[in-house]
Amino acid sequence: MAAVTEETLLERIRAGRLIEDPEQATERYIEGLKRTLIVSADTELISAPAYMNAAKNFASLPSVNNYITIMGIVQDELGHAHIAYRMLRDLGVDTEELVYRREPRQFKYPYAFDVPLESFTELVVANAFYDRAGFVLLSDIHRNCSYGPWKRALVKVDREENFHLRHGEKWMRTLCREPGKKEEVQRAVDWMFVLTLEWFGLPDSQKRHNEQIEYGYKGSTNDQLRQTWMSSTVPLCESLGINVPAHYDEAREEYVIDCPFPADFVAEEKRWDFEKGEISWEEVLRRWKRRGPKNEEYVAHLQRGYRELYNGDRG
């Protein structure tokens, strides 16, 4: 079979015909798809220990039912990770190496998950913010993805992520009605809102890999996805009387970020140093590459069983 050319591939995508097999695509398409899938898989995987970290604070949970719900969300996230890693395995990637033998800093997931969630309040804000971000991204991929196997697999993922974010939004509303809890929600929002703005990556003007749009892995740019996220999140917070550094500009017909962005983040204190002013995206990228406080612990938690089984490491 003759190798697929770029021209043939792009004609197929523009005609709305899905790619069902690597033989129907170019090497560049497959390599870009792998990069996108790795980020998705790693993000779903690392969310499990991140959410479990918050669930360990039993005193902050309203009831045992909340613990059961959190474990259900964790189970969903592991299932979503399995789907993406399975796609990668079908594309020839050694997923055992990818999951169990990579160094922690080599994992590709949003920096936000490296900052510990330490209470039920922080967990539900993460559901409302982080899972909303995941929902925005994966819904866009589900609608527009040119790779048929992933497009179909995301039907299940899309519905479950919607449940996760609704759980967060419902409990944000509940907590904001309880004496003293609204202040806790505000403190969580103060550091998590801008971290989620970062979630969508570099601004369009600085995006390094443009094949995501060209090849139809997704249909919206980073800045468009950031706008979509704010279009739900900002009104939610405003309805609860929670302050966020963003507002809708009628004249520009878009959401405007009201704080320095990107900015310096002091992870150990869960605090933005807005007084320093706006920093460069190069500085943000260096922070992302260093990873955050929980990176090594969370990855070790995920890899521990494998290491014990194959290396005899029971430390």
Side-chain angles (χ1 to χ4, degrees):
M1 182 181 294
V4 175
T5 65
E6 283 290 312
E7 182 180 3
T8 301
L9 172 65
L10 292 174
E11 284 180 358
R12 181 187 185 98
I13 292 171
R14 289 166 187 155
R17 297 169 60 204
L18 298 176
I19 307 300
E20 298 291 352
D21 186 276
E23 292 183 356
Q24 298 174 334
T26 62
E27 182 178 349
R28 182 171 180 262
Y29 176 97
I30 295 301
E31 290 307 310
L33 178 62
K34 288 177 183 177
R35 280 196 296 271
T36 306
L37 278 165
I38 287 172
V39 173
S40 179
D42 287 356
T43 301
E44 301 284 10
L45 182 65
I46 208 70
S47 67
Y51 289 162
M52 288 178 68
N53 192 72
K56 290 189 300 185
N57 185 352
F58 292 105
S60 73
L61 302 178
S63 74
V64 69
N65 288 336
N66 297 101
Y67 183 84
I68 293 170
T69 300
I70 295 167
M71 291 303 102
I73 291 173
V74 167
Q75 185 177 27
D76 287 345
E77 301 291 15
L78 291 173
H80 302 169
H82 173 76
I83 288 171
Y85 287 126
R86 172 58 192 267
M87 298 283 166
L88 285 162
R89 189 162 70 249
D90 290 345
L91 293 173
V93 175
D94 183 347
T95 52
E96 189 170 290
E97 172 75 27
L98 199 65
V99 175
Y100 297 114
R101 294 198 286 270
R102 256 188 308 168
E103 292 299 315
R105 290 185 183 181
Q106 294 177 342
F107 277 72
K108 308 291 184 183
Y109 58 82
Y111 180 88
F113 276 129
D114 279 345
V115 185
L117 302 170
E118 299 175 290
S119 68
F120 182 71
T121 299
E122 290 186 340
L123 172 69
V124 298
V125 175
N127 286 156
F129 284 12
Y130 299 172
D131 285 292
R132 168 70 70 179
F135 178 76
V136 166
L137 284 162
L138 293 177
S139 291
D140 182 79
I141 293 172
H142 173 51
R143 291 191 304 270
N144 298 286
C145 189
S146 59
Y147 187 59
W150 198 14
K151 186 181 184 74
R152 289 187 291 274
L154 286 175
V155 173
K156 175 180 186 292
V157 177
D158 196 62
R159 290 173 180 170
E160 289 174 350
E161 290 292 355
N162 186 56
F163 162 70
H164 302 172
L165 71 91
R166 297 299 178 194
H167 172 261
E169 292 178 353
K170 172 203 167 186
W171 274 100
M172 280 183 69
R173 292 189 181 95
T174 299
L175 293 175
C176 282
R177 292 194 296 266
E178 295 182 9
K181 290 294 185 179
K182 184 174 180 180
E183 290 76 11
E184 284 187 25
V185 173
Q186 181 67 68
R187 286 195 296 272
V189 168
D190 285 343
W191 62 272
M192 295 169 71
F193 184 88
V194 181
L195 273 182
T196 320
L197 289 177
E198 283 188 352
W199 189 293
F200 299 94
L202 295 171
D204 296 345
S205 60
Q206 299 187 39
K207 190 75 171 67
R208 296 178 179 179
H209 299 297
N210 296 316
E211 74 271 7
Q212 289 185 333
I213 300 296
E214 178 186 6
Y215 284 151
Y217 308 144
K218 64 180 188 178
S220 302
T221 67
N222 288 359
D223 287 337
Q224 289 170 338
L225 292 168
R226 219 180 325 263
Q227 284 288 319
T228 300
W229 180 79
M230 284 192 285
S231 71
S232 294
T233 308
V234 174
L236 167 68
C237 291
E238 289 176 342
S239 71
L240 299 176
I242 296 294
N243 298 319
V244 291
H247 73 281
Y248 186 72
D249 188 308
E250 296 284 353
R252 294 166 57 174
E253 297 185 332
E254 64 179 15
Y255 282 87
V256 176
I257 301 170
D258 298 324
C259 64
F261 182 74
D264 187 52
F265 183 64
V266 185
E268 292 73 17
E269 301 175 16
K270 298 182 179 178
R271 176 179 61 83
W272 292 95
D273 189 359
F274 292 133
E275 292 183 2
K276 184 177 179 180
E278 187 173 313
I279 64 174
S280 69
W281 278 99
E282 286 73 19
E283 292 175 271
V284 176
L285 287 171
R286 286 196 291 271
R287 167 162 55 83
W288 290 353
K289 288 177 182 178
R290 289 194 306 267
R291 303 298 336 180
K294 286 290 187 176
N295 169 246
E296 292 186 4
E297 178 185 327
Y298 288 165
V299 173
H301 182 76
L302 292 165
Q303 295 178 340
R304 180 179 177 182
Y306 181 90
R307 293 180 184 277
E308 290 180 351
L309 181 63
Y310 291 101
N311 301 333
D313 178 9
R314 298 183 182 276

